[in-house]
Amino acid sequence: MIKLALCDDEAEQREAIGGLLREYAEARPALALKLSVFSSGQELLAAAERCGGFDLYVLDVVMPGLSGIDVGVRLRELYSGGVIIYLTISPEYAVDSYAARAFYYLMKPAEPDRLFRVLDQAAAALEKRRAACIAVRTKDGLERLRLDEIVYAELAGRAVRYHLADGTYLESVTVRSPFQEETGPLLADRRFFLCGASFVVNLFYVAAVEKGALRMDGGARVPLARGLAAQAKRRWSDYWLEGTGGEAL
């Protein structure tokens, strides 16, 4: 199932876009889309906090109170890994949409064929994220972790501690191999970046590259080895510019 949230402050737009989304859902029954509709950013954020977030967001950019960009940034702070698609009447906000790490930016009125293509790409990206997993050996046995729920991993004593998007962590048993070798399955995925001898971060959850650290969604600061700042900025930028759907203006 894919939990889909639509947010637009204009009733006419909610009806029009909601109709297209329902049409899309009917044409793709295998996706099992569940649509929730909201008239304000505040309403959407409250619902996201209650249910743990949605898989896919279709957001208007210009709204009173919290704009769609504000909502997107807040969702990232809440560790929402959902795919964000923006709809607006003006292209001037396209650059701002990167602050929320948007998957796509589309102009209104939404053209059904183009919107459906973007939704197909978003659904494929979600499926790929969900399918990628690693197995972690813990004191309680083997645990399966999805890569998209790992915010960062660190060497904690002689174990690897995986910090997760829900605020918890999972710790491996004592490891005998070097940290970089132990986290090899993560580093094989382009989402992950080795930022020092003892830390690997998921670029999806990086909010900013700061002096000597990476600031993650939620506020955690992961140490960044000296001399890696430029490389970290490049990898982070490349991930979002090449890894998302891009702009469709």
Side-chain angles (χ1 to χ4, degrees):
M1 184 179 73
I2 293 179
K3 295 187 295 181
L4 170 60
L6 165 64
C7 185
D8 197 304
D9 65 300
E10 296 182 11
E12 185 177 334
Q13 287 295 320
R14 287 197 303 276
E15 183 176 349
I17 299 166
L20 288 176
L21 295 177
R22 292 184 183 92
E23 181 183 335
Y24 176 80
E26 290 176 4
R28 312 287 196 281
L31 295 179
L33 281 161
K34 181 181 179 182
L35 176 64
S36 299
V37 181
F38 304 94
S39 60
S40 73
Q42 293 91 334
E43 185 184 0
L44 169 57
L45 287 173
E49 289 197 61
R50 286 195 304 270
C51 73
F54 295 84
D55 302 305
L56 179 58
Y57 300 89
V58 177
L59 308 178
D60 183 26
V61 172
V62 182
M63 295 187 289
L66 292 174
S67 71
I69 304 297
D70 295 331
V71 172
V73 170
R74 180 61 181 146
L75 287 169
R76 297 304 181 219
E77 291 172 350
L78 292 172
Y79 284 136
S80 176
V83 171
I84 296 175
I85 297 169
Y86 281 118
L87 295 175
T88 190
I89 59 174
S90 172
E92 66 180 289
Y93 300 99
V95 174
D96 292 338
S97 71
Y98 286 115
R101 284 155 278 175
F103 183 82
Y104 242 99
Y105 184 100
L106 288 168
M107 294 294 294
K108 290 182 178 180
E111 299 176 12
D113 288 346
R114 173 170 279 187
L115 176 60
F116 289 3
R117 284 198 302 271
V118 172
L119 290 170
D120 281 342
Q121 292 172 17
L126 283 169
E127 179 59 30
K128 185 177 180 180
R129 284 186 198 170
R130 290 172 173 176
C133 298
I134 60 169
V136 179
R137 194 172 299 280
T138 74
K139 61 182 178 60
D140 297 318
L142 207 60
E143 297 266 358
R144 182 171 171 267
L145 274 185
R146 294 204 325 263
L147 297 192
D148 67 342
E149 64 182 338
I150 300 172
V151 179
Y152 67 97
E154 66 171 318
L155 185 63
R158 290 291 298 162
V160 178
R161 183 175 295 164
Y162 298 88
H163 295 264
L164 309 179
D166 64 3
T168 64
Y169 67 82
L170 184 71
E171 191 162 293
S172 74
V173 296
T174 299
V175 298
R176 294 176 175 80
S177 304
F179 177 73
Q180 188 169 349
E181 184 176 327
E182 283 293 328
T183 55
L186 298 184
L187 296 172
D189 187 289
R190 64 184 299 277
R191 283 172 284 187
F192 290 87
F193 176 70
L194 182 68
C195 55
S198 305
F199 291 90
V200 169
V201 300
N202 186 336
L203 295 170
F204 180 86
Y205 293 106
V206 174
V209 180
E210 301 177 340
K211 184 177 180 181
L214 298 177
R215 177 161 52 84
M216 312 300 291
D217 290 339
R221 296 179 80 251
V222 176
L224 182 62
R226 183 176 298 178
L228 285 182
Q231 184 181 351
K233 287 179 180 178
R234 184 171 61 253
R235 282 287 308 279
W236 185 46
S237 175
D238 288 348
Y239 172 75
W240 284 106
L241 292 177
E242 298 172 9
T244 66
E247 293 178 37
L249 300 177

